[in-house]
Amino acid sequence: MDKLLAQSRWYRLLPVAFITYSLAYLDRANFGFGAASGMAEDLHITPAMSSLLGSLFFLGYFFFQVPGAVYAENRSAKKLIFWSLILWGGLAMATGIISNVNALIGIRFMLGVVESAVMPAMLLFLSRWFTKKERSQANTFLILGNPVTILWMSVLSGYLIQAVGWRWMFILEGLPAIIWAFFWWRLVDDKPEDASWLTRPEKQGLAVQLEKEQQGIKPVKNYAEAFKSRVVILLSFQYALWSIGVYGFVMWLPSILNAAPDMNIVKTGWLSAVPYVLAIIGMLGASYFSDKTLNRKAFVWPFLLVGAVAFYGSYLVGPDNFWLSFVLLILAGGAMYAPYGPFFAIIPEILPRNVAGGAMALINSFGALGSFIGAYIVGYLNGTTGGFGASYLFMAGSLFLAAIITLIAVKKPASLETPESASVRLA
């Protein structure tokens, strides 16, 4: 059967998914560089307002996850992402044009609304094209758009701000999403049966394998039943806590580094990129071994625990030893990113496809809520305490709780689970 699963899916679809998610991440994460480079002074943004603006994106992101996923599931992920690309590129460019903070408030919120459906729609899209044994790696190639983008964006944004200012940074980094929308429309199909580049045996082989996987999953009538299941509720809270650490880190790392002695925005850009090199290695390794063993839990909670310990270590080291603290931040960043592929492979393996997309959207929306809390509170703690120790403790505690909930929520490796045990765990 594996011979009928076309290898062309990997090089046809995953680069497109990677680039699409990369552009989404570029246009949400470059705000941290704008905030660290003069935007606050030009728009008269207070530290408290800067924290709110950094987190407003995630508030818009929180409210529109599930509706977007339902549209993608019942209609077209391809069409949804096409229009999202155009709209978020336009909003990102508008960030470089506005002249007052009120307009920026509206743009940050709407950017979250527009991007909210992208992640669940893309995960749903990939679940239609890749089997259980492939899914963790496929998800990882999608989510690699996150650390890879921050890696090169950190360097590029530093140089762009120095060369043309923060306004042109937003304009130049927003334009590619609009252009890419038309490549996306040309290159992808919603479902394998729509693809002219697959042979009939390849389509049939993939359809048979995906249908076989569904036979071992307990039927779930509707979204309400899925959303009430124990594992979805626990994973929603787990992902919220995990995202507190991730986005507290992503949004404020440039400001943390820029506050170091003898630092400038170009050095900040280079140093901000380093944790994401480790993140890429960790993500590829975790997803590969997760798919080999089909043990998702074992490649999620240990990394979150390492991230918690690394943040706590940075707190203990304190601001007087910058380089040791920075090494620990590199470790925390890499550890937080490593489990994404295995984590998002869990839901399609325990819920049927009629509700899996909505369940992933619900979990991701709680992640957005955690991101909002993380981005806001980390910025608030940094501003009110005049240092970073309190925010390190906050992120360490959040990741520790996320690791514990993972152990409770996911009971058995997928390779050891029977349909009967899956039914019990969902009850």
Side-chain angles (χ1 to χ4, degrees):
M1 182 62 70
D2 287 347
K3 293 180 180 180
L4 296 178
L5 300 181
Q7 294 305 302
S8 57
R9 294 169 300 141
W10 291 88
Y11 60 77
R12 172 87 184 204
L13 298 175
L14 292 183
V16 176
F18 171 83
I19 292 171
T20 303
Y21 194 60
S22 292
L23 292 173
Y25 222 83
L26 169 66
D27 290 333
R28 78 175 69 166
N30 58 9
F31 179 81
F33 277 88
S37 65
M39 182 170 67
E41 291 83 358
D42 292 346
L43 299 180
H44 308 291
I45 300 172
T46 64
M49 179 58 73
S50 184
S51 297
L52 178 62
L53 287 166
S55 55
L56 261 177
F57 169 90
F58 302 107
L59 194 59
Y61 202 77
F62 171 73
F63 285 112
F64 292 90
Q65 290 270 318
V66 174
V70 171
Y71 180 91
E73 201 159 46
N74 296 326
R75 299 207 177 183
S76 172
K78 175 180 176 178
K79 186 180 295 184
L80 179 66
I81 293 171
F82 171 78
W83 286 110
S84 295
L85 277 159
I86 292 174
L87 291 171
W88 92 57
L91 287 165
M93 294 178 71
T95 307
I97 299 172
I98 50 92
S99 58
N100 65 78
V101 71
N102 292 329
L104 188 55
I105 289 172
I107 286 173
R108 290 298 297 175
F109 180 78
M110 287 305 302
L111 188 65
V113 171
V114 169
E115 285 196 27
S116 63
V118 175
M119 178 70 162
M122 292 296 281
L123 290 168
L124 176 68
F125 173 78
L126 292 179
S127 73
R128 293 171 174 171
W129 286 89
F130 294 93
T131 67
K132 183 176 181 177
K133 292 182 179 180
E134 304 168 323
R135 204 164 284 140
S136 181
Q137 291 179 83
N139 290 344
T140 292
F141 278 103
L142 166 67
I143 303 168
L144 269 176
N146 175 324
V148 170
T149 299
I150 296 179
L151 195 156
W152 62 259
M153 178 210 71
S154 298
V155 177
L156 176 64
S157 295
Y159 279 111
L160 282 176
I161 289 168
Q162 187 179 59
V164 295
W166 65 268
R167 290 186 179 277
W168 275 102
M169 177 201 73
F170 282 113
I171 293 169
L172 293 174
E173 291 182 352
L175 181 61
I178 298 174
I179 297 171
W180 180 251
F182 297 93
F183 285 91
W184 163 268
W185 187 260
R186 176 68 177 152
L187 292 171
V188 304
D189 299 286
D190 264 311
K191 299 176 182 178
E193 55 262 36
D194 300 329
S196 60
W197 46 275
L198 287 179
T199 66
R200 181 170 293 180
E202 288 171 338
K203 292 178 184 180
Q204 291 173 340
L206 183 56
V208 167
Q209 185 63 29
L210 292 173
E211 189 60 39
K212 182 179 177 182
E213 293 173 7
Q214 292 294 304
Q215 292 171 5
I217 300 175
K218 176 188 175 183
V220 178
K221 292 185 294 185
N222 51 42
Y223 293 118
E225 184 178 334
F227 293 172
K228 289 187 291 185
S229 70
R230 173 183 175 275
V231 68
V232 170
I233 292 170
L234 286 173
L235 290 181
S236 295
F237 283 107
Q238 184 264 21
Y239 196 48
L241 290 162
W242 178 4
S243 298
I244 285 174
V246 171
Y247 283 93
F249 180 84
V250 169
M251 294 302 296
W252 296 107
L253 182 64
S255 295
I256 289 170
L257 296 178
N258 207 44
D262 303 317
M263 192 66 63
N264 59 51
I265 196 66
V266 173
K267 286 182 182 178
T268 295
W270 278 101
L271 290 177
S272 295
V274 176
Y276 302 103
V277 176
L278 183 59
I280 292 165
I281 296 169
M283 289 177 75
L284 291 172
S287 66
Y288 175 81
F289 288 106
S290 173
D291 275 348
K292 284 293 183 183
T293 63
L294 291 181
N295 187 340
R296 308 308 185 189
K297 179 171 72 171
F299 295 94
V300 178
W301 74 265
F303 288 105
L304 299 180
L305 186 60
V306 168
V309 172
F311 274 129
Y312 185 65
S314 289
Y315 163 75
L316 293 178
V317 167
D320 295 333
N321 195 331
F322 170 78
W323 289 108
L324 179 55
S325 178
F326 179 57
V327 169
L328 289 167
L329 289 177
I330 292 172
L331 183 59
M336 285 189 297
Y337 274 93
Y340 274 117
F343 177 78
F344 280 110
I346 293 170
I347 288 297
E349 294 174 6
I350 60 176
L351 287 177
R353 58 189 169 208
N354 65 305
V355 295
M360 286 190 290
L362 182 70
I363 292 168
N364 206 44
S365 68
F366 273 80
L369 187 60
S371 304
F372 173 84
I373 294 169
Y376 182 77
I377 294 184
V378 168
Y380 176 80
L381 291 173
N382 292 345
T384 55
T385 64
F388 308 111
S391 61
Y392 292 161
L393 276 179
F394 176 59
M395 290 186 282
S398 299
L399 290 174
F400 178 75
L401 290 174
I404 298 301
I405 293 174
T406 306
L407 285 169
I408 296 170
V410 185
K411 293 295 187 184
K412 290 185 179 180
S415 57
L416 301 178
E417 190 168 81
T418 64
E420 291 77 16
S421 65
S423 300
V424 170
R425 185 158 57 80
L426 276 173

